[in-house]
Protein backbone atom coordinates (compact mmCIF):
# COMPACT_ATOMS: atom_id res chain seq x y z
CA UNK A 1 0.00 0.00 0.00
CA UNK A 2 1.26 3.47 -0.85
CA UNK A 3 2.24 5.81 1.96
CA UNK A 4 -0.58 8.24 2.67
CA UNK A 5 1.04 11.02 4.69
CA UNK A 6 4.35 12.78 4.13
CA UNK A 7 5.90 15.42 6.35
CA UNK A 8 8.70 17.66 5.07
CA UNK A 9 10.81 19.61 7.55
CA UNK A 10 13.93 21.72 7.30
CA UNK A 11 15.56 24.83 8.60
CA UNK A 12 14.09 27.90 6.97
CA UNK A 13 15.67 28.47 3.56
CA UNK A 14 16.85 24.91 2.89
CA UNK A 15 14.44 24.62 -0.03
CA UNK A 16 11.20 22.87 1.04
CA UNK A 17 8.83 25.20 -0.82
CA UNK A 18 10.98 25.16 -3.95
CA UNK A 19 11.08 21.36 -4.00
CA UNK A 20 7.35 21.06 -3.34
CA UNK A 21 6.58 23.43 -6.19
CA UNK A 22 8.75 21.37 -8.59
CA UNK A 23 7.53 17.94 -7.59
CA UNK A 24 3.87 18.15 -6.53
CA UNK A 25 2.48 18.71 -10.06
CA UNK A 26 3.71 15.17 -10.86
CA UNK A 27 1.52 13.70 -8.10
CA UNK A 28 -2.11 14.79 -8.55
CA UNK A 29 -3.21 12.45 -5.74
CA UNK A 30 -0.98 14.24 -3.21
CA UNK A 31 -2.63 17.35 -1.77
CA UNK A 32 -0.64 19.98 0.11
CA UNK A 33 -1.94 20.73 3.60
CA UNK A 34 -2.23 24.52 3.88
CA UNK A 35 -1.29 25.59 7.39
CA UNK A 36 -2.76 28.38 9.46
CA UNK A 37 -0.30 31.02 10.65
CA UNK A 38 -0.12 34.35 12.41
CA UNK A 39 2.91 35.30 10.27
CA UNK A 40 2.28 38.23 7.94
CA UNK A 41 2.09 37.30 4.24
CA UNK A 42 5.27 37.78 2.20
CA UNK A 43 5.04 39.58 -1.12
CA UNK A 44 3.31 37.17 -3.51
CA UNK A 45 1.80 34.96 -0.82
CA UNK A 46 -1.93 34.42 -1.14
CA UNK A 47 -4.36 33.65 1.68
CA UNK A 48 -5.77 30.15 1.23
CA UNK A 49 -2.97 29.14 -1.16
CA UNK A 50 0.28 29.44 0.79
CA UNK A 51 -1.25 29.76 4.25
CA UNK A 52 -4.46 30.68 5.97
CA UNK A 53 -3.31 33.97 7.46
CA UNK A 54 -4.85 34.55 10.91
CA UNK A 55 -4.74 37.07 13.71
CA UNK A 56 -3.46 35.81 17.05
CA UNK A 57 -7.04 35.84 18.36
CA UNK A 58 -8.32 33.82 15.39
CA UNK A 59 -5.49 31.31 15.80
CA UNK A 60 -6.17 30.91 19.51
CA UNK A 61 -9.84 30.34 18.72
CA UNK A 62 -8.85 27.55 16.29
CA UNK A 63 -6.82 25.90 19.05
CA UNK A 64 -9.73 26.22 21.48
CA UNK A 65 -12.15 24.65 18.99
CA UNK A 66 -9.81 21.67 18.54
CA UNK A 67 -9.44 22.53 14.86
CA UNK A 68 -5.70 21.83 14.64
CA UNK A 69 -3.86 18.50 14.54
CA UNK A 70 -0.79 20.21 15.94
CA UNK A 71 0.52 23.73 16.33
CA UNK A 72 3.71 25.39 17.42
CA UNK A 73 5.33 28.77 17.83
CA UNK A 74 8.08 29.01 15.20
CA UNK A 75 10.37 32.03 14.75
CA UNK A 76 7.96 34.12 16.85
CA UNK A 77 4.70 33.22 15.09
CA UNK A 78 2.09 30.50 15.45
CA UNK A 79 1.77 27.81 12.80
CA UNK A 80 -0.71 24.92 12.84
CA UNK A 81 -2.21 22.14 10.75
CA UNK A 82 -5.97 22.25 10.17
CA UNK A 83 -7.64 18.95 11.01
CA UNK A 84 -10.62 18.93 8.65
CA UNK A 85 -8.59 19.08 5.41
CA UNK A 86 -6.55 15.98 6.24
CA UNK A 87 -9.56 13.94 7.25
CA UNK A 88 -11.46 14.97 4.10
CA UNK A 89 -8.51 14.34 1.78
CA UNK A 90 -7.85 10.88 3.20
CA UNK A 91 -11.55 10.02 3.00
CA UNK A 92 -11.45 10.95 -0.71
CA UNK A 93 -8.64 8.44 -1.22
CA UNK A 94 -5.92 11.03 -1.72
CA UNK A 95 -2.58 11.52 0.03
CA UNK A 96 -1.31 14.55 1.95
CA UNK A 97 1.99 16.41 2.16
CA UNK A 98 2.70 18.57 5.21
CA UNK A 99 5.35 21.22 5.80
CA UNK A 100 6.08 21.23 9.55
CA UNK A 101 8.82 22.51 11.78
CA UNK A 102 10.87 19.78 13.46
CA UNK A 103 9.25 20.27 16.89
CA UNK A 104 5.68 20.41 15.54
CA UNK A 105 6.42 17.12 13.79
CA UNK A 106 6.77 15.41 17.17
CA UNK A 107 3.21 16.39 18.12
CA UNK A 108 1.98 15.45 14.65
CA UNK A 109 3.44 11.95 15.13
CA UNK A 110 1.26 11.45 18.21
CA UNK A 111 -1.80 11.68 15.95
CA UNK A 112 -0.37 10.09 12.78
CA UNK A 113 2.58 7.90 13.85
CA UNK A 114 2.89 6.23 10.45
CA UNK A 115 3.54 9.40 8.45
CA UNK A 116 6.73 9.39 6.41
CA UNK A 117 9.22 12.04 7.57
CA UNK A 118 11.48 13.77 5.04
CA UNK A 119 14.20 16.06 6.33
CA UNK A 120 15.69 18.55 3.88
CA UNK A 121 19.22 19.73 4.68
CA UNK A 122 21.22 22.49 2.99
CA UNK A 123 24.72 21.52 1.80
CA UNK A 124 26.29 23.88 4.40
CA UNK A 125 25.49 26.58 6.96
CA UNK A 126 26.99 29.18 4.62
CA UNK A 127 24.74 28.12 1.78
CA UNK A 128 21.69 28.25 4.05
CA UNK A 129 22.51 31.84 4.94
CA UNK A 130 23.13 32.65 1.28
CA UNK A 131 19.71 31.20 0.33
CA UNK A 132 17.84 32.98 3.10
CA UNK A 133 19.34 36.29 1.99
CA UNK A 134 18.96 35.49 -1.70
CA UNK A 135 15.24 34.75 -1.26
CA UNK A 136 14.82 38.41 -0.43
CA UNK A 137 11.66 37.92 1.61
CA UNK A 138 12.84 38.57 5.15
CA UNK A 139 14.31 41.42 7.16
CA UNK A 140 17.83 41.11 8.58
CA UNK A 141 16.33 40.57 12.04
CA UNK A 142 14.15 37.72 10.79
CA UNK A 143 17.09 36.15 8.91
CA UNK A 144 19.25 36.25 12.04
CA UNK A 145 16.51 34.62 14.12
CA UNK A 146 15.97 31.89 11.53
CA UNK A 147 19.71 31.17 11.26
CA UNK A 148 20.06 30.96 15.04
CA UNK A 149 17.07 28.58 15.22
CA UNK A 150 18.40 26.49 12.31
CA UNK A 151 21.22 25.01 14.40
CA UNK A 152 18.83 23.85 17.15
CA UNK A 153 16.33 22.52 14.63
CA UNK A 154 18.84 20.47 12.68
CA UNK A 155 20.44 19.11 15.85
CA UNK A 156 17.03 18.09 17.20
CA UNK A 157 15.89 16.56 13.90
CA UNK A 158 19.05 14.48 13.55
CA UNK A 159 19.09 13.19 17.11
CA UNK A 160 15.46 13.02 18.26
CA UNK A 161 13.36 13.47 15.13
CA UNK A 162 11.64 10.65 13.22
CA UNK A 163 12.73 11.15 9.64
CA UNK A 164 12.87 8.10 7.41
CA UNK A 165 14.50 10.09 4.60
CA UNK A 166 17.12 12.81 4.48
CA UNK A 167 17.65 14.81 1.30
CA UNK A 168 20.65 17.09 0.98
CA UNK A 169 19.42 19.87 -1.26
CA UNK A 170 22.60 20.81 -3.08
CA UNK A 171 21.83 20.20 -6.75
CA UNK A 172 18.15 21.10 -7.06
CA UNK A 173 17.29 18.62 -9.84
CA UNK A 174 18.95 15.78 -7.95
CA UNK A 175 17.08 16.67 -4.75
CA UNK A 176 13.79 16.87 -6.67
CA UNK A 177 14.44 13.43 -8.16
CA UNK A 178 15.06 12.03 -4.67
CA UNK A 179 11.81 13.56 -3.42
CA UNK A 180 9.89 12.14 -6.40
CA UNK A 181 11.27 8.68 -5.62
CA UNK A 182 10.12 8.94 -1.98
CA UNK A 183 6.63 10.11 -2.92
CA UNK A 184 6.31 7.21 -5.36
CA UNK A 185 6.78 4.66 -2.57
P1 LIG B 1 12.14 26.89 2.57
O1 LIG B 1 10.77 26.67 1.96
O2 LIG B 1 12.74 25.62 3.06
O3 LIG B 1 12.17 27.97 3.60
P2 LIG B 1 12.78 27.98 -0.08
O4 LIG B 1 12.20 26.91 -0.94
O5 LIG B 1 12.02 29.25 0.06
O6 LIG B 1 13.10 27.38 1.39
O7 LIG B 1 14.26 28.25 -0.61
C1 LIG B 1 15.05 29.33 -0.11
C2 LIG B 1 15.82 29.97 -1.26
O8 LIG B 1 16.80 29.06 -1.73
C3 LIG B 1 14.94 30.32 -2.45
O9 LIG B 1 15.35 31.59 -2.97
C4 LIG B 1 15.23 29.21 -3.45
O10 LIG B 1 15.09 29.65 -4.79
C5 LIG B 1 16.67 28.84 -3.13
N1 LIG B 1 17.01 27.41 -3.37
C6 LIG B 1 16.29 26.33 -3.03
N2 LIG B 1 16.92 25.19 -3.36
C7 LIG B 1 18.10 25.57 -3.94
C8 LIG B 1 19.21 24.84 -4.51
N3 LIG B 1 19.25 23.50 -4.55
N4 LIG B 1 20.24 25.55 -4.98
C9 LIG B 1 20.22 26.91 -4.95
N5 LIG B 1 19.21 27.65 -4.45
C10 LIG B 1 18.16 26.99 -3.95
P1 LIG C 1 7.79 30.10 6.87
O1 LIG C 1 7.48 31.27 7.74
O2 LIG C 1 9.17 30.16 6.31
O3 LIG C 1 6.73 29.85 5.81
O4 LIG C 1 7.75 28.82 7.81
C1 LIG C 1 8.48 28.78 9.00
C2 LIG C 1 8.48 27.42 9.61
O5 LIG C 1 7.15 27.03 9.99
C3 LIG C 1 8.98 26.29 8.71
O6 LIG C 1 9.90 25.52 9.49
C4 LIG C 1 7.75 25.47 8.40
O7 LIG C 1 8.07 24.11 8.22
C5 LIG C 1 6.95 25.68 9.67
N1 LIG C 1 5.52 25.41 9.49
C6 LIG C 1 4.71 25.74 8.46
N2 LIG C 1 3.45 25.31 8.68
C7 LIG C 1 3.47 24.66 9.87
C8 LIG C 1 2.48 23.97 10.64
O8 LIG C 1 1.31 23.86 10.27
N3 LIG C 1 2.87 23.46 11.83
C9 LIG C 1 4.16 23.56 12.28
N4 LIG C 1 4.45 22.99 13.45
N5 LIG C 1 5.11 24.19 11.58
C10 LIG C 1 4.78 24.73 10.39
Amino acid sequence: MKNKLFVMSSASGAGKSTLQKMVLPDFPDIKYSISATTRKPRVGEVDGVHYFFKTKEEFEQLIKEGGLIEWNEVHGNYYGTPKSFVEKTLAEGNRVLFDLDVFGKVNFDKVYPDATGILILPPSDEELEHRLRGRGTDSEEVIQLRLANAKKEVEFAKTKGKYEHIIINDDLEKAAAELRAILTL
Side-chain angles (χ1 to χ4, degrees):
M1 199 178 71
K2 273 188 165 180
N3 290 331
K4 294 284 185 195
L5 303 176
F6 298 90
V7 178
M8 284 175 78
S9 302
S10 80
S12 182
K16 285 180 307 295
S17 317
T18 305
L19 285 166
Q20 286 158 18
K21 229 178 287 165
M22 286 173 75
V23 167
L24 274 186
D26 298 339
F27 296 89
D29 69 319
I30 300 183
K31 311 294 175 190
Y32 179 68
S33 166
I34 303 166
S35 299
T37 185
T38 60
R39 171 167 75 60
K40 296 279 171 286
R42 295 177 183 137
V43 173
E45 282 185 333
V46 177
D47 187 41
V49 175
H50 299 93
Y51 281 106
F52 295 109
F53 293 102
K54 305 281 181 198
T55 63
K56 194 160 178 271
E57 291 70 31
E58 288 168 340
F59 196 97
E60 283 165 353
Q61 183 61 30
L62 264 179
I63 298 173
K64 220 184 284 173
E65 287 166 2
L68 300 175
I69 293 172
E70 62 74 45
W71 62 274
N72 191 21
E73 192 179 339
V74 193
H75 315 314
N77 287 296
Y78 288 135
Y79 295 81
T81 306
K83 197 184 275 183
S84 54
F85 176 81
V86 186
E87 290 172 351
K88 179 170 162 285
T89 306
L90 288 175
E92 289 167 350
N94 287 310
R95 305 189 286 156
V96 192
L97 176 70
F98 303 84
D99 182 333
L100 305 182
D101 86 290
V102 300
F103 305 109
K105 165 77 162 61
V106 175
N107 292 329
F108 181 91
D109 285 344
K110 292 177 191 156
V111 184
Y112 291 113
D114 296 330
T116 301
I118 307 164
L119 182 66
I120 311 294
L121 294 177
S124 67
D125 295 348
E126 292 71 29
E127 176 62 15
L128 183 70
E129 182 164 358
H130 181 68
R131 286 183 191 173
L132 268 179
R133 287 190 200 291
R135 187 164 69 185
T137 53
D138 304 297
S139 66
E140 181 58 28
E141 192 186 350
V142 168
I143 289 173
Q144 288 302 338
L145 176 65
R146 287 175 178 238
L147 286 173
N149 289 340
K151 293 193 195 328
K152 298 174 221 162
E153 290 166 343
V154 173
E155 175 64 20
F156 181 86
K158 282 182 169 170
T159 55
K160 302 204 178 75
K162 185 180 94 63
Y163 291 94
E164 284 76 14
H165 303 277
I166 296 181
I167 297 176
I168 299 180
N169 179 20
D170 189 356
D171 178 88
L172 191 54
E173 287 300 335
K174 188 166 166 282
E178 287 176 34
L179 180 58
R180 281 192 192 93
I182 293 165
L183 298 181
T184 304
L185 294 176

